[in-house]
Amino acid sequence: MPVPNSLRCLVRPSTGLPVSIPRTAASLGVPSAGLLGTPLLAAASFSTTSSRSEGASGIAKNHHRGGKKTFTVKKKAFVLERGKSPLPGERKAYRKRIILSNDNALAVPWLTDLGPAELSNENNVARVMGIPEEVQDQLRASEAFKTTQCWRMFRKPAVLVRKETVDLTRRMDRAAQNNEMLRLVVTGDKVAGKSLMLLQAMTHAFLNDWVVIHIPEAQELTTACTEYAPIPNTDPLQYMQPVYALKLIQAIKKANEKVLSKTFTRNAHPHLPQNIPANTPLLTLANVAKESEAAWPVFQSLWAELTAQGVARPPILLSIDGLAHMMKISDYRTPAFDLIHSHDLALVRLFANAFGGGLKLPAGGAVIGATSRSNAPRCPSLELAVSRREVEQRIEASSKAAGSGSGAETTATATEEVPQRDPYFRGYDDRVEAVLRSVEVLRVGAIDKNEARAVMEYWAASGMFRSVVDTKTVTEKWTLGGNGVLGEMERASLLSMRM
Amino acid sequence: MPPRLNFWSACRALTTRTHTFAPRLLVRPATQTRGWADKATSGFPPSGSGAPPPLPPNDAGNQQPAFTSPENEEALTQLRMIEYGVTSLDPAVDGHKYGMPDRFIPPAKQVKKRYDSVVAQVTRLMMQDGKLAKAQRDMAMILNYLRTSPPPRLDPSRPLLPGSPPPNHLPLDPTLYLTLAIDSVAPLVRIRGYKGMAGGGRSFDVPMPLELRQRRRTAFKWILDVARKKQSRGSGRTMFPHRVAEEIVSVVEGRSSVWDKRLLAHKLGTANRANLIQAQRKKLI
């Protein structure tokens, strides 16, 4: 290696000394910075600030030498050969698919299908009954089945008729007879069967030719995962969700095809993309919504027709699961970047209005909301309203009982105090409390041993529960399942690795 | 080493006693000292110095027995009967107010053994980071997958264990399904390598038979290896158990690569079977 190059290795770059000039050349009078009057070594003083060192680096750049770089072996990243990965959306479809039958399961010979009056028949309590084929399709179209439920284990979907079921369906029937609106909140412990109670209500409605509008997850409306747009000329400003509205219309259309084709429009709807004259089936009206742009006006027209007074209309069931998501401030923003209250979203507002009692239906109907214990934001007003209504219902019942003569029990419940707001807590929502002030509350509790026996006999007859069903087994599973919490019993006997 | 025979050892054998014997302690019959718990007096008879011990009650008819109570009488009668060779005592009945407990607690009643043995073993093999509950939940999902999947179509070239039930019986008994899959691909031997024993630095491979649990462990490890490398079709927590279950189904249907591993293990075993004699000679086994 030539000497000057070797020397260059020893020089620090920050001095800016052009060392490539051999000493001999410098002494021969080659012009350099030193000759212009500035001392060479003061060309760049030591500095760590970027502005100063930038000038220094200009000199250091010249100093950079391109040479042989150290050869390093790069480790190859371990790539697992896994074949073709699923396309976008396939994974979710796989996760969310609903399987309603298991061909391995034995067909239960004594299983009978539900009829229009079966769910409100008291004699059917503690019996497992099958859901008819067409109702299955309707329920599937309105997304009433969930992936967390055990439908995929049995030959065909069947439900246990519980005391609460009969209670609920009777209230629905009464409301429809009196052309009233049943406003009800289904609540209960975790995996107690709240969503299934909703499903049974929907089944009853489908069997009795109601129109069912079901929102399977309220969170889809309020967690800002679907598009929204302000509705002009509304005060306070409301927002529509066109994409969700399209999906909802299609679900309504598919689930209620039979009823909608027999119901006819009262007014003409010329403003829609397709002109709808009066006396057209509502199914045709629903069919107009092909794209999300037209979805909201079509939904409005459909709703206006369904609630039109003075014409023959079917009763309507509005059902929503995951009520707490509907009773909070949504994740949507106004143009001023304020959060929008859920009740300002037009679809949610329709439900809130129904819960609050502001909706009059021509043939009566019901609005039923189920709370959730697993996926629910904390909603103090909802909790307070539900507990308050529960106590008020007990007091009413006891006062009724006192009126009929049995006075001994009344004193016990009359002393019960209606829960009040915590004065030191700010998180209450007045709008939510106003909406829920007068709803009925149905608590889905534990099943008793008769019901447990019925459902376990069904499991055993399907071949999914491989044990003798006697009093001992029933009591064992009933106890293991938190004294009759149906979902826990299912976990203990069907979803366990002991079989 | 035997003791050396010489003069001094012979002398050591000759012993002489330089002082008198110590007086022997009186040994009283144990039957007489035994008493019932509610008896007030002491069990030992009054012992005079040098007086002969009282005779047992059965050999002198004229003498009154030391302790008389109906229970004692009965006990003594039973002892006498045993002496005659008649076993009048039924231990399951006599002396127990509620009878004897069952000797073996059935498996369903034991907390530690409440699951099927294969299922329990395999669950622990699936466990990662000591999370047994998660492994158990995964196992429950595997079994549920098996019972909702259609009956397997068997491959005659990959025969399952002889005597296995027909394929349409399998989904309704998922534990059996799992056991059958594991036992069918379980290898019989493994290769034990003795390093450098074959000369020239080569290892000396000797086939070794595997115990039942070892066989199952090996087979399920193979299945897990394949399942861990598989691509999942969906997402979420059910994916891993589903992949394992798919692999179990493919084992039963004969599509799995685990069969090749088993074949390889057996080929190696047969190729090295001559080493068994060598290993015996070298006293390795």
Side-chain angles (χ1 to χ4, degrees), chain B residues 128-273:
Chain B
Q128 283 186 332
D129 305 332
K131 293 175 186 165
L132 182 60
K134 186 185 178 302
Q136 284 171 335
R137 201 176 57 195
D138 286 355
M139 177 47 70
M141 285 185 204
I142 290 175
L143 295 178
N144 265 327
Y145 182 95
L146 291 182
R147 66 175 168 187
T148 49
S149 64
R153 286 187 302 274
L154 302 188
D155 181 4
S157 65
R158 305 275 197 207
L160 300 177
L161 277 190
S164 60
N168 57 342
H169 286 200
L170 290 177
L172 275 186
D173 194 351
T175 316
L176 178 70
Y177 199 157
L178 178 75
T179 313
L180 181 66
I182 290 173
D183 280 350
S184 299
V185 281
L188 291 165
V189 288
R190 73 180 175 107
I191 297 296
R192 177 155 182 209
Y194 292 92
K195 273 185 190 168
M197 293 278 282
R202 282 177 301 145
S203 75
F204 183 61
D205 294 339
V206 182
M208 292 283 193
L210 290 172
E211 294 291 326
L212 182 64
R213 273 178 69 87
Q214 293 176 315
R215 300 178 53 205
R216 284 176 176 157
R217 178 179 182 278
T218 322
F220 197 71
K221 283 276 180 191
W222 287 344
I223 291 175
L224 275 186
D225 280 348
V226 178
R228 291 225 161 93
K229 284 176 192 158
K230 256 191 182 176
Q231 173 126 33
S232 53
R233 286 193 282 152
S235 52
R237 61 178 185 182
T238 55
M239 277 307 104
F240 174 64
H242 278 195
R243 275 182 284 151
V244 177
E246 278 166 14
E247 192 54 32
I248 286 165
V249 173
S250 73
V251 162
V252 172
E253 294 190 342
R255 293 182 278 112
S256 174
S257 61
V258 177
W259 285 101
D260 301 333
K261 287 194 180 175
R262 177 178 194 263
L263 194 67
L264 192 69
H266 284 187
K267 267 188 183 167
L268 271 177
T270 40
N272 290 317
R273 67 190 157 187

Side-chain angles (χ1 to χ4, degrees), chain B residues 27-83:
Chain B
V27 181
R28 298 193 184 96
T31 48
Q32 293 193 3
T33 59
R34 194 189 300 148
W36 297 90
D38 52 352
K39 197 159 64 66
T41 55
S42 161
F44 286 97
S47 57
S49 60
L55 292 169
N58 59 340
D59 60 349
N62 53 356
Q63 199 175 353
Q64 196 68 14
F67 310 104
T68 47
S69 71
E71 295 91 351
N72 210 355
E73 271 301 313
E74 193 184 340
L76 287 172
T77 323
Q78 282 179 350
L79 279 178
R80 251 174 250 140
M81 297 299 277
I82 290 168
E83 199 179 350

Side-chain angles (χ1 to χ4, degrees), chain A residues 78 80-86 90-92 94-95 97 102-106 148 152-153 462-466 472 493-499, chain B residues 108 114-115 119 123 136 139-140 143-151 171-175 228-236 239 242-243 246:
Chain A
F78 177 66
L80 210 54
E81 288 296 324
R82 279 183 155 165
K84 195 174 125 278
S85 63
E90 267 185 24
R91 286 184 189 275
K92 190 175 182 185
Y94 185 81
R95 191 174 70 228
R97 76 201 194 287
N102 176 12
D103 287 343
N104 300 322
L106 309 175
T148 47
R152 66 174 59 187
M153 285 191 155
S462 301
M464 289 294 121
F465 183 65
R466 300 169 57 83
K472 189 163 162 287
S493 37
L494 292 182
L495 304 176
S496 128
M497 63 181 222
R498 181 176 172 182
M499 45 181 75
Chain B
R114 67 193 127 164
Y115 303 118
V119 170
T123 308
Q136 284 171 335
M139 177 47 70
L143 295 178
N144 265 327
Y145 182 95
L146 291 182
R147 66 175 168 187
T148 49
S149 64
L172 275 186
D173 194 351
T175 316
R228 291 225 161 93
K229 284 176 192 158
K230 256 191 182 176
Q231 173 126 33
S232 53
R233 286 193 282 152
S235 52
M239 277 307 104
H242 278 195
R243 275 182 284 151
E246 278 166 14

Side-chain angles (χ1 to χ4, degrees), chain A residues 5-188:
Chain A
N5 275 353
S6 317
L7 270 179
R8 196 164 56 179
C9 301
L10 300 172
V11 176
R12 291 191 180 157
S14 60
T15 55
L17 187 69
V19 200
S20 59
I21 306 166
R23 195 179 286 173
T24 48
S27 64
L28 284 173
V30 176
S32 71
L35 296 176
L36 294 174
T38 41
L40 271 177
L41 286 174
S45 59
F46 174 75
S47 165
T48 52
T49 58
S50 55
S51 57
R52 300 289 293 279
S53 62
E54 196 178 4
S57 70
I59 302 167
K61 233 178 225 169
N62 299 332
H63 176 72
H64 181 265
R65 136 183 95 97
K68 191 183 165 193
K69 283 178 185 163
T70 325
F71 179 72
T72 50
V73 181
K74 266 194 179 176
K75 270 192 179 175
K76 274 186 185 172
F78 177 66
V79 181
L80 210 54
E81 288 296 324
R82 279 183 155 165
K84 195 174 125 278
S85 63
L87 294 172
E90 267 185 24
R91 286 184 189 275
K92 190 175 182 185
Y94 185 81
R95 191 174 70 228
K96 297 279 179 192
R97 76 201 194 287
I98 304 283
I99 301 172
L100 292 184
S101 74
N102 176 12
D103 287 343
N104 300 322
L106 309 175
V108 182
W110 39 261
L111 191 70
T112 49
D113 274 355
L114 284 167
E118 304 270 24
L119 276 175
S120 52
N121 187 353
E122 215 169 34
N123 297 330
N124 286 336
V125 172
R127 276 186 69 189
V128 177
M129 305 188 84
I131 300 176
E133 289 271 332
E134 64 269 25
V135 179
Q136 279 176 38
D137 295 340
Q138 288 171 313
L139 289 172
R140 192 195 268 274
S142 44
E143 295 182 46
F145 299 111
K146 296 196 169 186
T147 45
T148 47
Q149 296 159 351
C150 288
W151 304 109
R152 66 174 59 187
M153 285 191 155
F154 302 99
R155 182 55 79 100
K156 63 175 288 188
V159 287
L160 170 73
V161 184
R162 303 169 58 165
K163 289 189 295 294
E164 290 92 342
T165 315
V166 174
D167 184 14
L168 172 61
T169 47
R170 282 191 173 176
R171 287 191 209 187
M172 283 168 68
D173 288 346
R174 209 177 307 139
Q177 276 166 12
N178 303 337
N179 288 359
E180 283 170 358
M181 189 80 185
L182 168 70
R183 296 171 289 130
L184 186 102
V185 171
V186 178
T187 186

